[in-house]
Amino acid sequence: MKQLCVDGACDEVQTLKNATHEFPKGRLLALACAGFITILTEALPAGLLPQIGAGLRVSGAAVGQLVTIYAIGSMVAAIPLTSFTQSWRRKSVLLLAVSGFLVANTVTAVSGEYEITLVARFIAGVSAGLLWALLAGYASRMVPSNMQGRAIAVAMVGTPLALSFGIPLGTLGGIVFGWRATFGILSALTVALIVWIAIALPDFPGERGGRQTKISEVIAIPGVAQILAVTLLFVLAHNIIYTYIVPFSSLSKLGEHVDLALFGFGVSSILGIWIVGVYIDRKLRSLTIVSTVLFGISVLIMGVRYDDTTIVALAILLWGLSFGGAATLFQTASARSSGSAADLAQSMIVTVWNAAIAGGGAVGAGLLMGFGVRMLPWAVLIILVGALVTVLSDPKTGFTDDGP
């Protein structure tokens, strides 16, 4: 286990850890709220597509590009921005990332021009790429080494909460009060979060000594390439079925209640991240294997019993359970393996994750057109077998059960 500190920073980090006798749940929740706002910013346009289209006088397809440009911003900015800010104080970088959401959501709330809104969404995506690269490393630095996995789990809990509750409530608020008001409220919440971070979170130094770590050096660290490969395969598999869950659900009566099925997915995801948070510091490898196997079982069930509403609904719950802690597993493994290069390694996770999201949509579309919707679970199962084989290929690096 490599210590998560940078040149000259170990003493400062250790002083904080020695002073922190209790698990800093309150401070970590500030990071979770940052993730919560990030997911809301990303997904709200999809839920308010007609309202935003009418307000900006554009088609629904054009509004959909507000989500696409966000993902592009995250994907292209994560690695270069994280690399560029390696030497900066960590709290300054975190505040910069969160402030990007404040700017982007405020502009979105008041802009009457589609092109300006598109630029704001790109800025939001850039901010998201930087933020996701920071969260795991920041959480890890706030606790002793034997609590790092649990700390990352708390920092990541904002994602399933946003998917399960934040987006439905935000969509409802946008319908009732107007989509501009919803983005305005999101900006107000971001201001409160900036104050919370500035007051409550500890600060850490960036990389010192004038030399910055290179991407090639991070990839060469034992285990990092394996973690990136598993992340790509797992998230690709997830997005193939998640992106096209509506047409797949139409094979049974579940298609009439897909919103409830996805709510159940979100709730079971919360349970999944809780289980991962309890055991991850001792059983990271085992949890990764179990999550991959459970996901595979769920899509196998979907493939065989695609026309049974109850069985497919239960399979979706199992899928949510397996997926809920996935980000925590991958980011904890990355943080453990990469040591002082944790933030840069996390930026690579962010880039791979967003590439898998885009790839899931493209691969899924190809499967739908070429083979039909019933092929989706089987394609996902094949990809998950690849992910499982990759995890099992090297038990000594990457995903290990050796606690810190």
Side-chain angles (χ1 to χ4, degrees), residues 42 50 106 113 178 251-252 295 300 324-325 339 348 363 376:
E42 175 183 359
T106 301
E113 300 297 328
L251 295 174
S252 68
F295 190 1
L300 176 62
M348 296 165 69
V363 172
L376 294 181

Side-chain angles (χ1 to χ4, degrees), residues 98-170:
V98 176
S99 297
F101 291 112
L102 174 60
V103 172
N105 287 324
T106 301
V107 171
T108 301
V110 301
S111 171
E113 300 297 328
Y114 174 74
E115 293 77 11
I116 295 175
T117 304
L118 204 63
V119 172
R121 293 290 299 175
F122 182 79
I123 292 172
V126 169
S127 300
L130 183 58
L131 182 79
W132 288 127
L134 289 170
L135 286 188
Y138 213 108
S140 296
R141 291 179 174 96
M142 290 170 62
V143 297
S145 58
N146 64 336
M147 293 183 180
Q148 286 172 353
R150 182 182 168 196
I152 293 173
V154 174
M156 292 296 112
V157 79
T159 297
L161 286 174
L163 291 172
S164 301
F165 304 105
I167 293 173
L169 288 174

Side-chain angles (χ1 to χ4, degrees), residues 187-240:
S187 293
L189 292 175
T190 306
V191 171
L193 177 61
I194 290 172
V195 173
W196 187 3
I197 290 173
I199 294 175
L201 262 60
D203 193 9
F204 305 101
E207 189 168 328
R208 295 176 180 172
R211 182 186 182 280
Q212 294 187 335
T213 306
K214 298 178 180 179
I215 293 294
S216 58
E217 294 173 337
V218 179
I219 295 177
I221 296 172
V224 170
Q226 180 196 39
I227 294 164
L228 291 172
V230 173
T231 301
L232 176 65
L233 292 171
F234 194 98
V235 180
L236 176 65
H238 166 76
N239 279 281
I240 287 174

Side-chain angles (χ1 to χ4, degrees), residues 356-372:
I357 291 174
V363 172
L367 290 169
L368 282 176
M369 292 185 291
F371 301 97

